[in-house]
């Protein structure tokens, strides 16, 4: 339920904001690559505090990516509205896949936060 709530709120924000979030693309890609590198480093070192930083960072990054992807799909759909229906269908499939991956990754990171044994 927490993941669903975060997903819906950020998707609504990404859709209703007038700002073009495509300027944040570079930040999200660098943050995602850094998250992957830190995860690999932590797999070998096993530092508990680094795992917390990775987990919180993952939640923040994938929350932002949800808003970015919804905003990007909105602007692309406005551009393709009068155009080719086949391109619109392909864009819908790719957009749904991106949002699905964002949701699953957000769910995994939230499970890491709440699934810890005390």
């Amino acid at each position: 339920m927490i993941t669903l709530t975060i997903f819906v709120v950020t998707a609504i924000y990404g859709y209703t904001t007038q700002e073009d979030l495509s300027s944040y693309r570079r930040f999200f890609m660098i943050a995602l690559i850094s998250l992957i590198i830190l995860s690999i480093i932590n797999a070998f070192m096993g530092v508990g505090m680094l795992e917390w930083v990775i987990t919180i960072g993952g939640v923040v990054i994938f929350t932002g990516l949800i808003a970015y992807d919804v905003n990007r799909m909105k602007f692309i759909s406005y551009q393709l509205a009068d155009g080719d229906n086949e391109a619109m269908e392909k864009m819908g499939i790719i957009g749904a896949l991106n949002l699905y991956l964002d949701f699953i990754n957000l769910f995994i990171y939230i499970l890491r936060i709440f699934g810890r044994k005390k």
Side-chain angles (χ1 to χ4, degrees):
M1 290 305 291
I2 294 171
T3 306
L4 181 63
T5 304
I6 292 172
F7 182 84
V8 168
V9 168
T10 49
I12 289 171
Y13 171 76
Y15 187 78
T16 58
T17 186
Q18 298 299 320
E19 181 183 2
D20 183 15
L21 299 178
S22 64
S23 61
Y24 296 108
R25 181 179 188 272
R26 236 182 251 152
F27 168 75
F28 287 129
M29 291 305 120
I30 291 171
L32 192 59
I33 291 169
S34 300
L35 188 73
I36 292 168
I37 291 170
L38 283 174
S39 296
I40 292 171
I41 291 171
N42 195 39
F44 292 111
M45 295 177 61
V47 178
M49 183 56 86
L50 184 59
E51 187 174 343
W52 273 106
V53 170
I54 291 169
T55 302
I56 300 299
V59 169
V60 170
I61 291 168
F62 285 107
T63 300
L65 277 172
I66 291 167
Y68 166 76
D69 285 338
V70 169
N71 188 265
R72 183 180 59 142
M73 287 186 339
K74 179 179 90 170
F75 281 109
I76 290 174
S77 66
Y78 285 157
Q79 292 172 353
L80 294 176
D82 297 330
D84 186 16
N85 285 337
E86 183 179 341
M88 193 72 150
E89 289 177 13
K90 289 179 183 178
M91 195 272 310
I93 292 170
I94 291 171
L97 179 63
N98 283 336
L99 288 175
Y100 173 74
L101 291 173
D102 292 340
F103 181 84
I104 293 299
N105 281 309
L106 180 65
F107 180 68
I108 288 170
Y109 282 107
I110 288 177
L111 275 180
R112 286 183 185 174
I113 291 173
F114 292 110
R116 297 194 185 274
K117 294 180 181 179
K118 305 279 178 189

